[in-house]
Amino acid sequence: MFKQFLSKLPRKSSKADSGELTRSSSGPVPSPAQRSGTGGGSAPVRSNSGKRMSSAVFPASVVAGIEPLVPFKDVPNSEKLNLFVSKVSLCCVTFDFSDPSKNSIEKDVKRQTLLELLDFVASGSVRFTEPAILAMCRMCAVNLFRVFPPNYRSSGVGGENDDDEPMFDPAWPHLQIVYDLLLKFITSPCLDAKMAKKYLDHAFIVRLLDLFDSEDPRERECLKTILHRVYGKFMVHRPFVRKSMSNIFYRFVFETEKHSGIAELLEIFGSIVSGFALPLKEEHKIFLWRVLIPLHKPKSVGNYFQQLSYCITQFVDKEPKLGSVVIKGLLKFWPITNSQKEVMFLGEVEEILEAMSLMEFQKVMVPLFLRIACCVNSSHFQVSERALFLWNNDQIVNLIAHNRQAILPIMFTALEKNAENHWNQSVLNLTLNVRKMFCEMDEALFMSCHARFQEDEAKQCSAAEKRKEIWAKLENAASMKPITGKTAVLVTPLATSIAC
């Protein structure tokens, strides 16, 4: 580890008879290929001074005469980029942070170097050259890009593990400085986007997106900010970023249903959607239909539902005609046995209906209110209550009032059954309020629906009585017939009286 760590330092022979600061002559800037293994440029060194590193870090038997890199303030502006490259190359050495006692001195040296680089980049004193950009991208790749082991993600993001504590990376104090450095570097006015795009390329972006699967929420938060800045600064990469994010969503929805960073990726995409120009491109509409709407399907949707709902709402606000498309998609993936998901879906329906025009509403009102009627009749009081809360929204009530001829006949039966049989008092009160609202909207239509409901109830009672009589006749006829051979055993009237 010592040899690997120290190989990143520039070598300069010290003068044993002098305690003064000496500087080496800086030669031509090495090519990217020459700098792939070690830092380029020379840095000033101090000989026989009290600031020499201890032999525990730089043992004389291994690297005689090597001195640590000096601070940026001790070199002229003409050599600062060479020193920057040298320090960045030094930070390409990685350590095992699972054992805090291992290589503690070397870790501290690297941490101090990273902090010094962070201050230098934040100062914006020197415009970055191509070798400096290459060295920076290489250092970030070495320190950040890694594959998470399976047990690191064993709990996934399934709804059954919502109460699990998040896993924190033991290397985070070190990784955080690297992330901060990368963020400052990308946002620095001294970085030329046209030059940097050759190194912050598609491969770099894909590896950056892979890191969103980290279980550490602090890392995902840093990645979210960095990716947003990359998207904003490198316009040439925007289509690729959107495509790569779509691929992650596809894999999550249709293959694994396990990913830790869906919420953060959707949050980024929400800000991207808000910047879309009108009219929306066909590519963006396809993304809505093929990616965002199917994201309602996984059982872990609660982990990212807020961000998903925001993206959907942004699309509908941009182009209200998409409201009917979204409603159809929600009805396609509507949960049947998951009450909590039903409550969330009803909340999203309310947000979409607020932005819909009357014409778009009429395209989906029949299937939508058939589903809402089922929710109103739900035995789960939260589902029924949330469905009835839709009538507290003035915009939705206005849409319903304009289309009451179609909606009231659909809803009337559900409201009557709730008023007669629902066990929850809050739901019962809300039901009575909604009935009153419909009656005030159109009393004649209300009475007509009520008469039709009573007729239907009478027909059902009559059909039930006839069915009961037929069964009684069959049982009586069967009881008169003697049991012989393999004749089936008679089902007694007591058994048939059990209600379904």
Side-chain angles (χ1 to χ4, degrees), residues 50-94:
K51 292 185 178 180
R52 179 188 292 273
M53 267 317 210
S54 70
S55 59
V57 183
F58 299 102
S61 60
V62 178
V63 280
I66 291 185
E67 300 289 345
L69 293 171
V70 297
F72 282 105
K73 63 182 180 180
D74 292 346
V75 298
N77 289 337
S78 59
E79 292 190 18
K80 282 186 177 180
L81 273 182
N82 285 338
L83 182 57
F84 174 81
V85 173
S86 297
K87 287 179 178 288
V88 168
S89 299
L90 174 66
C91 294
C92 287
V93 180
T94 57

Side-chain angles (χ1 to χ4, degrees), residues 423-475:
W423 62 272
N424 185 270
Q425 187 61 43
S426 175
V427 171
L428 182 60
N429 293 337
L430 288 169
T431 300
L432 295 176
N433 289 338
V434 173
R435 287 178 77 253
K436 183 179 178 182
M437 290 176 67
F438 273 121
C439 185
E440 292 173 353
M441 279 182 197
D442 192 332
E443 187 174 357
L445 178 61
F446 185 88
M447 298 308 296
S448 173
C449 291
H450 188 268
R452 191 180 303 117
F453 173 76
Q454 289 182 328
E455 289 177 9
D456 292 341
E457 286 289 300
K459 288 179 182 178
Q460 290 178 11
C461 289
S462 176
E465 287 295 327
K466 288 180 180 179
R467 191 163 50 248
K468 192 173 181 181
E469 289 175 6
I470 292 171
W471 277 109
K473 290 178 181 179
L474 288 172
E475 290 167 359

Side-chain angles (χ1 to χ4, degrees), residues 11-25 43-49 52 64-67:
R11 298 180 180 272
K12 173 72 177 177
S13 297
S14 61
K15 297 180 181 179
D17 57 346
S18 173
E20 298 298 321
L21 183 67
T22 61
R23 288 189 173 88
S24 63
S25 59
V45 294
R46 194 178 295 273
S47 174
N48 294 333
S49 69
R52 179 188 292 273
I66 291 185
E67 300 289 345

Side-chain angles (χ1 to χ4, degrees), residues 249 262-263 265-274 287-288 292 295 304-318 326 348 351:
F249 293 138
I262 298 299
L265 289 171
L266 284 172
E267 191 170 340
I268 295 170
F269 206 87
S271 62
I272 292 174
V273 173
S274 64
F287 179 85
L288 170 66
L292 293 184
L295 276 171
Y304 55 82
F305 185 80
Q306 183 179 355
Q307 294 82 0
L308 176 60
S309 181
Y310 177 76
C311 289
I312 296 282
T313 306
Q314 286 290 307
F315 268 101
V316 178
D317 288 341
K318 287 278 182 180
V326 173
E348 187 171 0
E351 291 183 6

Side-chain angles (χ1 to χ4, degrees), residues 205-222:
I205 291 171
V206 168
R207 297 296 302 276
L208 200 66
L209 285 168
D210 289 341
L211 294 176
F212 276 90
D213 206 9
S214 170
E215 290 261 347
D216 195 325
R218 301 168 299 181
E219 182 169 13
R220 299 198 303 269
E221 193 68 23
C222 285

